[in-house]
Amino acid sequence: MTELVVKPWRVPGKERLYVNKVGARGDSVAWLDCKTGVVTVDIPEFETLALAKVEEWCRSFGSHVPPRTVRRRAEKKQPAKTTPAPVPQPRAEVPFLPPMREEDDLARNLPGAGLESLVRQGEEKYKLLVRLAAKLSRQRLGDSLSVSLG
């Protein structure tokens, strides 16, 4: 008959009791999640002995955590087989984009260059002295590009 040992294991938020075979590298036989009371049995042949060891450990250390549910590793729920989602096909009524023109290519045109040229065209309506005075006083020249937030 194989001897089993119980080893407590704790990390923040989790507390377990592991039941292992005796030895330096004793195989895990079962473990108890102390928070939920679920005993997970890795080797079914040792189930009754492992449950007895867990109950003995709980009695001797004053911890009242009787196993409520026994789960065997072989009883893992098999994921439901799902069919892969169909790949969406482009709708026939959606037209494809026209070929890219040279002025649409952002690699050749700096971002904001079009807007900057519109601002420059709006400022050219005023004489040089008026533009200079507006820049120094930090005021806008005209309302052709301003957006009202009303």
Side-chain angles (χ1 to χ4, degrees):
M1 184 147 125
T2 307
E3 288 229 12
L4 301 178
V5 292
V6 179
K7 296 180 181 179
W9 176 82
R10 289 185 182 104
V11 294
K14 292 184 181 181
E15 184 177 352
R16 293 181 180 169
L17 294 178
Y18 281 94
V19 181
N20 298 335
K21 291 182 182 177
V22 174
R25 294 184 47 116
D27 293 334
S28 174
V29 174
W31 55 274
L32 164 71
D33 186 346
C34 296
K35 301 262 186 213
T36 62
V38 175
V39 176
T40 304
V41 178
D42 292 330
I43 303 175
E45 297 86 41
F46 294 102
E47 179 179 342
T48 55
L49 189 56
L51 291 174
K53 282 288 190 180
V54 166
E55 289 176 9
E56 177 186 325
W57 192 91
C58 289
R59 274 193 308 263
S60 64
F61 287 97
S63 175
H64 181 66
V65 186
R68 288 175 272 188
T69 307
V70 176
R71 187 179 80 194
R72 291 162 192 83
R73 284 285 182 162
E75 290 180 358
K76 280 188 177 178
K77 293 180 182 176
Q78 296 296 327
K81 292 186 178 182
T82 59
T83 57
V87 177
Q89 299 295 327
R91 295 183 297 183
E93 66 268 7
V94 177
F96 287 102
L97 294 174
M100 189 163 63
R101 300 174 299 175
E102 192 171 318
E103 54 267 7
D104 297 334
D105 187 8
L106 288 179
R108 296 182 183 175
N109 301 310
L110 294 175
L115 183 62
E116 189 175 328
S117 68
L118 288 175
V119 170
R120 298 262 182 256
Q121 286 175 0
E123 287 178 349
E124 287 178 0
K125 293 190 281 185
Y126 301 98
K127 294 186 178 184
L128 179 63
L129 189 58
V130 174
R131 290 194 311 250
L132 183 60
K135 280 217 190 259
L136 290 175
S137 63
R138 295 185 180 175
Q139 293 191 5
R140 290 189 194 170
L141 291 174
D143 293 324
S144 62
L145 292 178
S146 65
V147 178
S148 64
L149 301 172

